Amino acid sequence: MKLVVVESPAKARTIEKYLGPGHRVLASYGHVRDLPAKDGSVDPDAGFAMQWGTYPDKARQLKAIADEAKKADHLILATDPDREGEAISWHVQEVLQKRRALPAQVERVTFNAITKSAVTEAMQKPRALDEDLIDAYRARRALD
């Protein structure tokens, strides 16, 4: 089974219809983690290491994603095609890895429209996470 993670539940329902059997599509409901608003969240003396915290209202959804990921052989991160979407995908992957629920195969896809043709075409062109976008996101969060 392929698990697809998107940002919104409305997108999840539509995309699951487009992809059909063998796919499970779940929503992250946006960002799932952030830096706690306290000193020490970013440690400049340790290479700017960041201590991420899960949003309390996202714990149930992350558990649902992790439970499905344990049954999946393939994870497709299909969050929005911008810096924030890339960051959400990275956070989901990190959480699943820490929970030992990360499927063997992980890919990233993006699409600019929620149409059957756009979604199926994107699924034909998977890629890895864009580390430059993720680094830009982390730098922005560290500065904030």
Side-chain angles (χ1 to χ4, degrees):
M1 187 251 318
K2 293 181 180 183
L3 173 62
V4 181
V5 177
V6 298
E7 289 182 46
S8 96
K11 286 181 188 176
R13 288 187 294 275
T14 302
I15 292 168
E16 192 165 79
K17 289 177 193 172
Y18 292 159
L19 297 177
H23 293 84
R24 179 78 170 103
V25 184
L26 294 177
S28 71
Y29 290 83
H31 280 278
V32 296
R33 298 190 309 176
D34 199 5
L35 295 172
K38 64 177 176 103
D39 288 337
S41 294
V42 179
D43 186 355
D45 296 328
F48 291 92
M50 298 177 171
Q51 301 299 318
W52 298 98
T54 301
Y55 287 120
D57 64 330
K58 301 295 174 73
R60 259 181 65 207
Q61 192 59 23
L62 279 173
K63 182 183 180 331
I65 292 170
D67 289 347
E68 287 296 322
K70 288 176 183 175
K71 298 183 262 182
D73 54 2
H74 195 147
L75 173 64
I76 301 169
L77 299 164
T79 52
D80 291 352
D82 56 11
R83 181 183 68 203
E84 296 301 310
E86 205 73 19
I88 292 167
S89 286
W90 173 75
H91 280 295
V92 169
Q93 180 177 316
E94 290 280 307
V95 168
L96 293 177
Q97 189 169 25
K98 286 181 180 174
R99 294 182 182 192
R100 293 186 168 89
L102 191 64
Q105 190 171 0
V106 179
E107 296 176 321
R108 172 84 165 106
V109 300
T110 58
F111 35 81
N112 292 312
I114 309 301
T115 63
K116 187 169 187 172
S117 61
V119 170
T120 55
E121 185 178 323
M123 292 296 188
Q124 304 289 323
K125 299 175 187 170
R127 63 172 173 82
L129 287 173
D130 185 330
E131 292 296 327
D132 290 337
L133 279 179
I134 295 165
D135 286 345
Y137 162 79
R138 288 189 290 222
R140 175 68 189 203
R141 290 302 302 131
L143 291 171
D144 286 349

